Amino acid sequence: MSDTNRVFLLAERPDGRPDEDTFELAERDLPTPGPGEALVRTLYLSVDPYMRGRMDARESYADPWGVGDPMEAAVVGEVVESNGAGLEAGTVVTGELEWADYATAPGTELYPIDPELAPISTALGVLGMPGRTAYFGTKEIAQPTAGDTFVVSGAAGAVGSVAGQIAGLQGADVVGFAGSDEKVQFLEDELGFDAGINYKTTDDYGAALDEAAPGGVDAYFDNVGGPITDAVFTRLNVDARVAVCGQISQYNATELPTGPRKLATLVETRATVEGFLVGDYQPRFEAATRQLGEWVQRGQVQYRETVTEGLENAPDAFLGLFEGENIGKQLVKVAERDVRSRGL
Amino acid sequence: MSDTNRVFLLAERPDGRPDEDTFELAERDLPTPGPGEALVRTLYLSVDPYMRGRMDARESYADPWGVGDPMEAAVVGEVVESNGAGLEAGTVVTGELEWADYATAPGTELYPIDPELAPISTALGVLGMPGRTAYFGTKEIAQPTAGDTFVVSGAAGAVGSVAGQIAGLQGADVVGFAGSDEKVQFLEDELGFDAGINYKTTDDYGAALDEAAPGGVDAYFDNVGGPITDAVFTRLNVDARVAVCGQISQYNATELPTGPRKLATLVETRATVEGFLVGDYQPRFEAATRQLGEWVQRGQVQYRETVTEGLENAPDAFLGLFEGENIGKQLVKVAERDVRSRGL
């Protein structure tokens, strides 16, 4: 094992779209776990759109990252050394760590995962935060039922791909917006969506929706905002529900000269638009993960991962989220699991 | 009584803002009530922002008016002649009639009002559809409670002025946006609002809100949309509720190039934005009107009316709504009550 550690720091706050100046890959000494802590070697690192918000100085539900500080991420890693953390070396855990090869954390904040149950990377995707976000946003906010038409944007992403399948399991007709023919094929052929719309090759989202969902939209799971959401808003049915999960098309905007428009459609439809944060459902995480695990094991929920190799490529993986380069969960593979490290 | 009738017809569908070409004042024969119908002389005519929608061809919750057809309106009038309608001549009634001096309607669609209880014009305002809209939108959708900050746009209008007072009765701090210093004074001095903001003399709505509502916004009753709503959206508190009642700033727009923006704020706040139509609460109208009547009688809810004289001026009264020329309910006074007409 190397005695140095590579850590990505937030070099400067981006003005609009992050770029290479946003990130600094620093060499640091290998950290030493304090009492009750463990040293964890990163195996998989999760990059997620919400991280864009943490790059800004503005206070929000997740604290801003400090300039010059390590950037945080959900990680699946392997315990290398425990200093009374109650975890054996070699245990695979997940937790909020850093964009780094190694990090330390209190044992109480590291959650062992069972590598026999599912591939360990799923703890960052379908069985992790994105899966649970899809679960609660669909079941509690968008609430599709049999016969409903459910539309999801960012449909081929980590959250959208699961949300659409859960809606399908409730008996809804499912339409997804995604950004390539390959993704649309993935939605229709692998995930069982009723229709996919490639928004990058479609001029008129409204017309495409009218074709795919001629009866209008009863439930909408919004990951992207912008013109796709405009089109859906004007096609909401009476008592429709909109779950606002993300607005990735807006995160890099330096200016939003206009605000909510087309809200008049909500009056006509008595529709509800509701934001949600998966963290509010913490007491029900275990039950949700168990349900998702059962669906995955039975093949009722499929998942896809896009894996970028190497910690040094984490910024590219992150930036690719805003270009829609991933299908399913975007991960960074930092290291292979190495059982020999147990003896360290 | 004249044996002719003046009736406003929809001359053409407006493209954007209605103007004089939109309306045609036609001379017609005095209509004759059919079996079960009554002839009603218009005393007060209500002009309301939602009528703009009925001028378009698009189907919505209220049917489009046909080109060349009489325009409809809520009216307070006097029964002139009953053809088995079960109503005595001279009875003051309210109903959905026409922009006209006289109209006929089935007795079952005419509702007697008690002139002793409150001025008869209130059946079109605080004790009519606008009052009930304020009542249900505030109590059921925006749900202000003690200690909440409640913001209302179009605050000096027929609906907003009642909504803000109902919120105050629930113990909320009430902030209203209105379009003149006179209106702001009306809100603060007569209606007991905690603060009014004159949006026509304020450059920065956000800064004005930060001053008037430093703790953020818990409930928002939106009558206008546009930049005021933008400012409120970015100041919503966790679990805030937005009742979308109207979007008058948008009704004449020929193009809305961008749609919902700033919805990311809903994720942070887990806020709910919900459209509503007062008609959905029909079974509870009687109870709502009774409650409003009690409040008015006890002086707990004040109301103001802006009365335009003469049927021929109804289009100006309607167009003035989009300029914010009214304080409180905009009415058109078409005729004096004439008890002598009973004998006709």
Side-chain angles (χ1 to χ4, degrees):
Chain A
M1 191 175 73
S2 163
D3 58 0
T4 63
N5 187 21
R6 295 178 302 164
V7 186
F8 271 106
L9 313 178
L10 181 65
E12 59 177 42
R13 299 203 184 282
D15 178 26
R17 190 183 155 73
D19 58 24
E20 54 189 20
D21 295 336
T22 308
F23 307 91
E24 180 192 343
L25 186 55
E27 294 267 332
R28 294 278 169 93
D29 288 342
L30 198 67
T32 305
E37 291 189 340
L39 174 67
V40 176
R41 188 161 69 99
T42 304
L43 300 174
Y44 289 98
L45 168 73
S46 180
V47 289
D48 298 281
Y50 81 88
M51 292 171 166
R52 177 62 188 82
R54 303 194 66 181
M55 293 177 173
D56 291 331
R58 198 172 67 85
E59 288 292 333
S60 180
Y61 60 92
D63 288 333
W65 288 328
V67 173
D69 289 346
M71 298 193 300
E72 294 167 335
V75 155
V76 164
E78 193 170 39
V79 173
V80 175
E81 188 187 337
S82 172
N83 182 358
L87 292 163
E88 278 184 34
T91 306
V92 179
V93 294
T94 184
E96 279 292 312
L97 301 174
E98 292 174 0
W99 293 40
D101 290 314
Y102 295 89
T104 59
T108 52
E109 295 176 14
L110 295 169
Y111 305 93
I113 55 183
D114 179 359
E116 304 304 319
L117 200 68
I120 58 173
S121 58
T122 59
L124 300 176
V126 63
L127 301 186
M129 183 274 286
R132 289 191 296 264
T133 300
Y135 182 86
F136 290 108
T138 304
K139 300 268 281 186
E140 300 294 325
I141 312 289
Q143 297 180 25
T145 55
D148 274 356
T149 295
F150 177 93
V151 174
V152 54
S153 57
V159 173
S161 59
V162 179
Q165 292 180 86
I166 293 174
L169 289 170
Q170 314 307 312
D173 291 331
V174 179
V175 177
F177 281 92
S180 72
D181 288 342
E182 183 192 0
K183 288 179 179 178
V184 167
Q185 204 170 350
F186 167 63
L187 299 180
E188 294 180 349
D189 296 351
E190 295 190 37
L191 304 189
F193 280 39
D194 297 277
I197 298 170
N198 180 348
Y199 71 88
K200 289 193 179 167
T201 57
T202 301
D203 284 337
D204 185 339
Y205 302 156
L209 261 179
D210 287 341
E211 190 173 331
V217 178
D218 301 297
Y220 175 44
F221 193 113
D222 187 15
N223 291 305
V224 307
I228 290 172
T229 297
D230 294 0
V232 177
F233 258 56
T234 51
R235 281 156 183 86
L236 294 175
N237 287 336
V238 168
D239 290 334
R241 288 83 51 200
V242 177
V244 183
C245 177
Q247 297 277 290
I248 195 171
S249 73
Q250 314 289 301
Y251 292 167
N252 289 326
T254 50
E255 208 178 340
L256 292 176
T258 53
R261 292 290 185 280
K262 300 181 199 282
L263 294 188
T265 193
L266 302 185
V267 180
E268 283 182 45
T269 56
R270 293 80 112 189
T272 304
V273 183
E274 188 167 359
F276 72 100
L277 281 176
V278 67
D280 292 343
Y281 297 94
Q282 181 98 42
R284 296 164 58 190
F285 275 8
E286 202 179 312
T289 308
R290 191 165 52 239
Q291 174 67 80
L292 286 160
E294 282 175 23
W295 281 334
V296 168
Q297 282 175 338
R298 287 194 217 123
Q300 292 179 287
V301 168
Q302 308 293 327
Y303 67 95
R304 183 80 75 89
E305 295 167 343
T306 300
V307 181
T308 298
E309 299 276 342
L311 176 65
E312 65 281 8
N313 295 318
D316 285 343
F318 174 70
L319 294 174
L321 294 171
F322 297 91
E323 304 300 324
E325 287 175 3
N326 55 307
I327 297 188
K329 178 68 191 123
Q330 175 68 58
L331 297 168
V332 180
K333 186 169 179 184
V334 177
E336 288 288 345
R337 215 177 147 204
D338 179 8
V339 289
R340 290 167 303 175
S341 72
R342 289 190 196 193
L344 182 115
Chain B
M1 189 176 75
S2 165
D3 58 357
T4 62
N5 187 23
R6 294 178 300 162
V7 185
F8 271 106
L9 312 178
L10 180 67
E12 60 178 41
R13 299 202 184 282
D15 178 26
R17 189 183 155 73
D19 57 26
E20 55 188 17
D21 295 336
T22 308
F23 307 90
E24 180 192 343
L25 185 57
E27 294 266 334
R28 294 279 170 93
D29 288 340
L30 198 67
T32 305
E37 290 187 339
L39 175 67
V40 177
R41 190 162 67 99
T42 304
L43 301 175
Y44 289 97
L45 168 73
S46 179
V47 289
D48 300 281
Y50 81 88
M51 292 172 165
R52 177 62 188 83
R54 303 193 67 182
M55 293 176 172
D56 291 331
R58 198 171 65 86
E59 288 292 334
S60 181
Y61 61 93
D63 286 336
W65 287 327
V67 173
D69 288 347
M71 301 194 297
E72 294 166 334
V75 154
V76 165
E78 194 170 37
V79 174
V80 175
E81 186 186 339
S82 173
N83 184 357
L87 292 163
E88 278 185 34
T91 306
V92 180
V93 294
T94 185
E96 279 292 313
L97 299 175
E98 291 175 1
W99 293 40
D101 290 314
Y102 296 88
T104 58
T108 52
E109 295 175 14
L110 294 169
Y111 306 93
I113 56 184
D114 179 358
E116 305 303 319
L117 202 67
I120 58 173
S121 58
T122 59
L124 301 175
V126 62
L127 302 185
M129 184 272 286
R132 289 191 294 265
T133 300
Y135 182 86
F136 291 109
T138 303
K139 301 268 281 187
E140 301 294 325
I141 312 290
Q143 298 180 22
T145 56
D148 274 359
T149 295
F150 177 91
V151 174
V152 54
S153 57
V159 174
S161 60
V162 179
Q165 292 181 88
I166 293 174
L169 289 171
Q170 315 305 311
D173 291 330
V174 178
V175 177
F177 281 91
S180 72
D181 288 342
E182 183 193 359
K183 289 180 179 178
V184 167
Q185 205 171 348
F186 169 62
L187 300 180
E188 294 180 350
D189 297 351
E190 295 190 38
L191 304 189
F193 280 39
D194 297 278
I197 298 170
N198 180 346
Y199 71 88
K200 290 195 178 166
T201 57
T202 301
D203 284 339
D204 185 339
Y205 302 155
L209 260 180
D210 288 341
E211 191 175 328
V217 178
D218 301 297
Y220 175 45
F221 193 111
D222 187 14
N223 291 305
V224 306
I228 291 173
T229 297
D230 294 1
V232 177
F233 259 56
T234 53
R235 281 155 183 85
L236 294 175
N237 287 335
V238 169
D239 290 334
R241 289 82 51 202
V242 177
V244 183
C245 176
Q247 299 275 289
I248 195 172
S249 74
Q250 315 288 301
Y251 292 166
N252 288 326
T254 49
E255 208 178 340
L256 292 176
T258 53
R261 292 291 184 280
K262 301 183 199 284
L263 293 188
T265 195
L266 303 184
V267 180
E268 283 181 46
T269 57
R270 293 79 112 188
T272 304
V273 183
E274 187 166 359
F276 73 100
L277 279 177
V278 67
D280 292 343
Y281 297 94
Q282 180 97 45
R284 294 164 60 189
F285 275 6
E286 202 180 312
T289 307
R290 194 163 50 236
Q291 173 67 82
L292 286 160
E294 282 175 22
W295 282 332
V296 168
Q297 282 176 336
R298 287 194 216 123
Q300 293 178 288
V301 167
Q302 308 294 326
Y303 67 94
R304 183 80 76 89
E305 294 169 343
T306 300
V307 180
T308 298
E309 298 277 343
L311 176 65
E312 63 280 10
N313 295 316
D316 285 342
F318 174 70
L319 294 173
L321 295 171
F322 298 92
E323 305 299 326
E325 287 173 6
N326 55 307
I327 298 189
K329 178 64 191 131
Q330 175 69 58
L331 297 168
V332 180
K333 186 169 177 184
V334 177
E336 289 288 347
R337 216 179 145 201
D338 179 8
V339 289
R340 292 168 301 177
S341 72
R342 289 190 195 191
L344 181 114

